[in-house]
Amino acid sequence: MKSNQSNIKIAKKYLDKNMCIGVPTETVYGLAANAYSDTAVKKIFKIKKRPKSNPLIVHYPNIKNLNKDCYINNHFLKLHKKFCPGPITFVLKLKKNSMISKLVTNNKKTLAVRFPRHPIIKNLLKIIDYPLAAPSANISTKVSAVEAKDVKDDFGKKINYVLDGGKSRIGLESTIIDVTNAPKVLRLGGLEISRIEKVIGKKLKRIINPKKKNSPGQSRLHYSPGIPLRTNVKSPKRNEAYLVLKKNKKRKLNYFYLSKKNNLKEAGKNLYSLLRIIKKKGYKSIAVEKIPNIGIGQSINDRLKRASKF
Ligand code: TXA
Ligand code: MG
């Protein structure tokens, strides 16, 4: 059952006690806690088994609240106006007197911030008096959660509460842009880079090479379904799950369809749920058809490439 205003009030109670809860966003579910509290933030890293060196994204309801913690600039304002609330995360310079827990940033001088669009987290952010640190709600290096039940599957009794906002509309994590200097892309995601480039007026540099550590979460192994995955496959082996872009007339038991027609956005939305389903069904490996490297297809291919480093 989807959560309502009284569930949101219960969520606030847990958060006020420095506990972690699962929250829906339009990209993926987050494992959220008070970003101003060391106690609360420590729990996120522990529950998620996340290395302390990998900083968290902090979620704000509006720019007014963000102003207390970060320096903002024109590039940020332009992109914020066009895309927020929405699937974009900004890296900004942190103010010295900010109240953000040092554990969130691993003592870095920058902070990743986001303004989510999903009504449940938006309403939650309105009634609490701190921003929410929230990485994706999955065990570190594994596939992100796009439904409340995924969060429960991953963490079980380790967390007390999950707000249910239905299936995430986008299904891929936010696109991360570093706007501390000339804007750079740190992670491909739910917002197409071409749309961001239109607003900035030029091509953006991409720093998504895993060898460079600008966005430490861009490590080689990430988004892993827990079984081997290979990409650009024309014909799967017997017993292998085959993930294809569009529904096909020759249905076979081991075929899984990312979209009904040929829609990359729909494919992005379904990618993580299908990887979870395939694993649950007991398949030992996954083959994926070639996905066109355009628009959201670029983000899908980025995730598949990392998932294939099993
Ligand atoms: O869509 C999303 O962004 C979701 C929802 C819950 O908001 N969150 C998410 O968080 O994907 P997470 O922790 O799974 O990924 C955050 C990424 C990591 O790759 C991390 O290294 C990077 O953001 N990051 C965080 N702070 C950073 C910073 N100051 N500079 C550069 N990268 C940063
Ligand atoms: Mg993640």
Side-chain angles (χ1 to χ4, degrees), residues 198-224:
K198 244 189 214 157
V199 174
I200 300 292
K202 60 174 185 192
K203 285 243 169 248
L204 298 190
K205 210 169 162 186
R206 299 184 185 200
I207 312 197
I208 49 182
N209 177 350
K211 276 177 210 140
K212 294 189 184 152
K213 293 280 180 189
N214 296 59
S215 196
Q218 295 296 66
S219 56
R220 275 172 63 80
L221 174 74
H222 218 103
Y223 314 106
S224 166

Side-chain angles (χ1 to χ4, degrees), residues 3 27 71 111 160 164-165 273:
S3 300
T27 55
Y71 295 104
L111 183 70
N160 298 81
D164 188 343
S273 352

Side-chain angles (χ1 to χ4, degrees), residues 56-218:
L56 307 175
I57 297 178
V58 176
H59 300 68
Y60 288 88
N62 52 45
I63 295 187
K64 192 169 154 248
N65 291 31
L66 169 74
N67 261 318
K68 298 176 202 157
D69 296 320
C70 291
Y71 295 104
I72 57 175
N73 56 42
N74 281 339
H75 284 308
F76 163 78
L77 286 171
K78 260 190 181 171
L79 293 171
H80 179 278
K81 189 166 177 207
K82 180 81 183 165
F83 300 118
C84 293
I88 179 168
T89 291
F90 304 94
V91 173
L92 290 167
K93 284 192 184 127
L94 195 57
K95 287 189 174 167
K96 273 222 174 83
N97 59 352
S98 138
M99 278 161 63
I100 295 290
S101 160
K102 297 275 181 286
L103 303 172
V104 166
T105 56
N106 188 36
N107 282 314
K108 273 164 86 83
K109 294 194 171 70
T110 57
L111 183 70
V113 305
R114 174 159 131 67
F115 306 84
R117 182 180 276 274
H118 194 295
I120 290 184
I121 183 166
K122 257 173 83 176
N123 287 336
L124 176 62
L125 285 166
K126 270 188 214 153
I127 62 163
I128 54 180
D129 31 358
Y130 41 83
L132 287 177
S136 52
N138 53 279
I139 302 290
S140 201
T141 78
K142 295 293 193 302
V143 171
S144 296
V146 292
E147 288 182 75
K149 74 169 165 51
D150 299 340
V151 183
K152 289 174 191 156
D153 277 355
D154 277 15
F155 299 119
K157 293 214 169 76
K158 285 190 192 145
I159 57 174
N160 298 81
Y161 205 66
V162 182
L163 281 169
D164 188 343
K167 188 165 173 180
S168 294
R169 186 172 52 81
I170 294 173
L172 295 167
E173 300 79 358
S174 60
T175 299
I176 305 183
I177 307 290
D178 181 341
V179 285
T180 52
N181 287 301
K184 296 187 281 272
V185 182
L186 300 190
R187 178 174 75 181
L188 299 174
L191 184 64
E192 295 98 316
I193 302 301
S194 59
R195 295 186 60 197
I196 298 172
E197 288 175 335
K198 244 189 214 157
V199 174
I200 300 292
K202 60 174 185 192
K203 285 243 169 248
L204 298 190
K205 210 169 162 186
R206 299 184 185 200
I207 312 197
I208 49 182
N209 177 350
K211 276 177 210 140
K212 294 189 184 152
K213 293 280 180 189
N214 296 59
S215 196
Q218 295 296 66

